[in-house]
Amino acid sequence: MVAQINLDFQEYTSSRRQLIEGQLSDYLSANDPPQLWESMRYSVLSGGKRLRALLCLASAEAVKPEATTTALPCACAIELIHAMSLIHDDLPALDNDDLRRGRPTNHKVYGEAMALLAGDALLALASEILLTHGKKLADDAVLLDVALEMNKAIGAHGMVGGQVSDMALTGLADLPQCGITKSVLEDMHSRKTGALIKFSAWSGARLAGASASQLKAFSEFGAILGLAFQITDDLLDITGCAADLGKTPGKDAASNKTTWVRFFGEKESRQQLTELQKQAISLLAGTKLADERLIVLHSLLDYAINRVN
Ligand code: GRG
């Protein structure tokens, strides 16, 4: 039974990744100015798990199986935002990374100025795609709601704010009376990584016409999955290898980051992951959707926690 579900999940992710990547290629097919678009394509069309886009599509399909097309522009917009955040995060002024998805980082290939501008252009393109293509597929009120939540997820309330907290907490973990608590770490993680993942689950469900109580459950499910995803990321930075990760492991310790695992230790972090997985499963049950509609979301949750990269 488990093997059968795994097999289906493999097929599901591979077919949906193909769909997402084909659409992203189309959205990125312009060439003026050539170096800008090349730099944008370099970071977007370079593999990656596509977890956020998959989550958006799977949430939409859980609510309404034929909603894949309706959610696709939003799923792609999310991947564009994710790619821009990686480009900027890798810059010397932030994490200063040379390797991403097994290839030199964007600024190593195109230079820092072009990497900054490619990120800016991807961010603008994400909204353009959501609004242009979403308009043909969803009601204006729904689309407005989705655009608003997307902006909240990525700005000072969400990803950018979380990144700034991450920087502010760097180097503090060893200091006595540093004031770092579980809720400080949770806030940082839930904004830096969790907000876009939460938006991915919520937006898919919103575009597919979920009820208010289902939307609440999808939103909370996404938030918990997002936190679990980042805790796993912190663990992989310690236990993973460059070949699997496609990026340099050990960077958190080298840059004295205040990570979840540094604060709680490996064993407790793994116990917390088990607990978060249980909470997320019970939130899915709260959607009152049939079990077979929720299988992919269960598998994505499991994948987010047990992945090797
Ligand atoms: C959004 C306006 C705006 C600015 C970005 C740089 C920055 C501000 C935020 C950093 C956010 C960041 C990079 C968080 C880390 C999230 C994370 C764990 C990324 C890795 O995601 P995966 O593993 O990557 O899904 P793949 O390669 O599989 O897509």
Side-chain angles (χ1 to χ4, degrees), residues 184-230:
V184 167
L185 282 175
E186 227 170 66
D187 180 71
M188 185 254 285
H189 277 357
S190 66
R191 292 164 80 180
K192 186 181 84 164
T193 311
L196 189 60
I197 293 181
K198 176 177 160 185
F199 171 74
S200 305
W202 175 88
S203 58
R206 179 76 177 108
L207 286 160
S211 68
S213 68
Q214 285 172 333
L215 283 174
K216 186 167 179 296
F218 273 98
S219 182
E220 289 172 9
F221 167 76
I224 290 183
L225 193 153
L227 177 60
F229 182 87
Q230 182 61 54

Side-chain angles (χ1 to χ4, degrees), residues 7-266:
L7 187 69
D8 288 345
F9 183 61
Q10 296 285 332
E11 280 176 20
Y12 176 87
T13 52
S14 121
S15 81
R16 291 302 182 275
R17 279 188 186 119
Q18 237 179 322
L19 189 67
I20 294 157
E21 278 162 21
Q23 196 63 73
L24 284 169
S25 269
D26 280 359
Y27 290 149
L28 289 163
S29 60
N31 231 16
D32 179 22
Q35 218 200 2
L36 174 65
W37 286 93
E38 192 187 312
S39 164
M40 291 157 75
R41 280 191 291 272
Y42 179 82
S43 287
V44 177
L45 305 175
S46 55
K49 296 179 285 297
R50 309 293 184 203
L51 178 92
R52 296 155 187 80
L54 289 170
L55 187 57
C56 177
L57 295 185
S59 299
E61 291 159 352
V63 174
K64 189 173 165 196
E66 61 277 24
T68 318
T69 315
T70 312
L72 190 57
C74 183
C76 290
I78 292 168
E79 280 299 315
L80 298 182
I81 291 167
H82 171 56
M84 81 70 58
S85 78
L86 299 180
I87 297 175
H88 283 196
D89 196 48
D90 289 335
L91 284 166
L94 283 104
D95 274 2
N96 194 18
D97 269 305
D98 294 349
L99 198 63
R100 170 71 67 183
R101 294 176 174 168
R103 303 203 297 174
T105 44
N106 194 296
H107 66 274
K108 285 278 154 193
V109 179
Y110 297 97
E112 285 178 45
M114 190 56 71
L116 259 176
L117 294 166
D120 294 344
L122 286 171
L123 190 61
L125 185 63
S127 286
E128 184 187 327
I129 283 167
L130 176 70
L131 297 172
T132 310
H133 300 279
K135 196 165 65 177
K136 299 171 209 151
L137 301 161
D139 288 348
D140 285 357
V142 173
L143 199 56
L144 195 62
D145 225 11
V146 171
L148 173 66
E149 290 304 318
M150 186 172 91
N151 277 284
K152 277 162 55 178
I154 62 185
H157 304 295
M159 192 187 267
V160 177
Q163 175 64 19
V164 171
S165 301
D166 185 327
M167 286 157 52
L169 293 176
T170 296
L172 294 190
D174 285 338
L175 300 180
Q177 292 165 341
C178 62
I180 298 172
T181 60
K182 185 178 181 187
S183 79
V184 167
L185 282 175
E186 227 170 66
D187 180 71
M188 185 254 285
H189 277 357
S190 66
R191 292 164 80 180
K192 186 181 84 164
T193 311
L196 189 60
I197 293 181
K198 176 177 160 185
F199 171 74
S200 305
W202 175 88
S203 58
R206 179 76 177 108
L207 286 160
S211 68
S213 68
Q214 285 172 333
L215 283 174
K216 186 167 179 296
F218 273 98
S219 182
E220 289 172 9
F221 167 76
I224 290 183
L225 193 153
L227 177 60
F229 182 87
Q230 182 61 54
I231 296 174
T232 303
D233 214 68
D234 290 356
L235 280 164
L236 285 173
D237 189 68
I238 297 170
T239 59
C241 63
D244 281 339
L245 294 176
K247 61 180 182 182
T248 320
K251 287 273 310 190
D252 290 343
S255 42
N256 209 4
K257 288 251 176 176
T258 302
T259 67
W260 192 276
V261 180
R262 175 118 182 236
F263 192 75
F264 289 104
E266 211 177 308

